[in-house]
Amino acid sequence: MTTSADIKERMRIAIILALNAGFMDGFSFFHFENRFIGAQSGNLIQAALELAKGNIALFLNFIIPIFFFIAGVVTRGLYSHYLADHHRFDALYLLVLQWLGVTITALSYALGLRLPVSLYVGIFSFFMAIQYDTFTKTHGRAYASIFMTGNLRSMSVNIAQYFLTKNKENLHAVWTYLSLATSFFVGAFVSVFALKAFDNWTMLGSSLLLGIVVLIARFERN
């Protein structure tokens, strides 16, 4: 029987989620004035710089998504606990929650609902945090679906270990982390062209990617 843990560790799901993360951050950086949906380290650095320069308004622009991201992780933890108590498949429910949240927010933005840009970035960050905190392993290996620094470190460690031991398992790990980093890169790359073609409708591309992951999780569960 396929379990929730089995599906959460599918490589194809990890690849699509990394692609989605690159796509969302690529879009937000260019369209939302250098703010990141997923890469909160970037927001934190820029918030510190703006505060040091005395730009309180810009400081808040960068700090708001961080608080939304924290709220997303907390929400994921509480909701997962609730689902576990009711013996429900947490990954699928969390994926649907993220997909619905991103879709509704993307449509609201595309249709011209006037909210502060930082609020839009924050809402997207909230749902990105759910992805980040739900999918943490693939093929038994720890990874991050929205940050690539740790994945690049793990890839480099396994390269060194392969040279030392000639263990092919290290090569498999290298391939895993390289695939994730490449997918993230491709997502960011594609977002630039999608933005030029679809402008405010671009984030529906993220909805499409998450919808594919929901379908994979739904059908592979059976």
Side-chain angles (χ1 to χ4, degrees):
M1 180 179 178
T2 302
T3 66
S4 173
D6 292 333
I7 292 175
K8 284 199 289 188
E9 293 193 20
R10 292 281 195 267
M11 185 63 183
R12 62 180 68 89
I13 287 179
I15 290 291
I16 298 172
L17 291 179
L19 184 70
N20 176 58
F23 184 88
M24 292 183 81
D25 264 348
F27 171 83
S28 67
F29 185 81
F30 284 104
H31 197 68
F32 290 148
E33 300 172 350
N34 301 336
R35 280 164 279 198
F36 292 101
I37 290 171
Q40 300 307 317
S41 295
N43 289 335
L44 193 61
I45 290 170
Q46 295 189 85
L49 295 177
E50 296 302 338
L51 183 61
K53 291 186 288 186
N55 297 328
I56 301 302
L58 290 177
F59 163 75
L60 293 174
N61 283 345
F62 289 108
I63 209 72
I64 286 172
I66 296 172
F67 287 110
F68 272 89
F69 187 87
I70 293 169
V73 173
V74 172
T75 300
R76 201 288 307 175
L78 296 175
Y79 191 40
S80 288
H81 181 76
Y82 168 82
L83 292 172
D85 282 349
H86 291 77
H87 307 289
R88 293 180 180 175
F89 180 38
D90 67 325
L92 182 57
Y93 281 89
L94 289 163
L95 275 170
V96 170
L97 176 62
Q98 183 189 10
W99 174 69
L100 286 173
V102 168
T103 301
I104 292 170
T105 308
L107 279 173
S108 298
Y109 183 74
L111 293 172
L113 178 63
R114 295 188 178 277
L115 295 175
V117 170
S118 291
L119 186 57
Y120 271 116
V121 178
I123 294 170
F124 281 128
S125 293
F126 176 90
F127 293 108
M128 180 68 89
I130 293 175
Q131 170 182 315
Y132 172 64
D133 205 39
T134 302
F135 297 88
T136 57
K137 287 186 177 181
T138 181
H139 290 179
R141 302 183 183 97
Y143 82 104
S145 66
I146 69 173
F147 304 118
M148 290 300 117
T149 303
N151 295 335
L152 291 173
R153 173 196 171 276
S154 296
M155 182 185 74
S156 303
V157 167
N158 278 280
I159 290 173
Q161 286 299 310
Y162 175 74
F163 284 129
L164 292 171
T165 66
K166 305 302 180 186
N167 187 338
K168 290 186 177 179
E169 184 61 26
N170 292 120
L171 282 183
H172 293 155
V174 169
W175 172 249
T176 295
Y177 293 116
L178 178 61
S179 298
L180 292 170
T182 302
S183 297
F184 185 88
F185 176 89
V186 170
F189 181 85
V190 169
S191 71
V192 175
F193 297 97
L195 182 55
K196 291 178 180 178
F198 302 108
D199 196 29
N200 291 352
W201 295 88
T202 301
M203 284 301 286
L204 286 175
S206 175
S207 175
L208 175 62
L209 291 171
L210 291 170
I212 292 171
V213 177
V214 170
L215 290 175
I216 292 172
R218 175 67 182 83
F219 288 108
E220 292 195 0
R221 180 189 176 194
N222 297 327

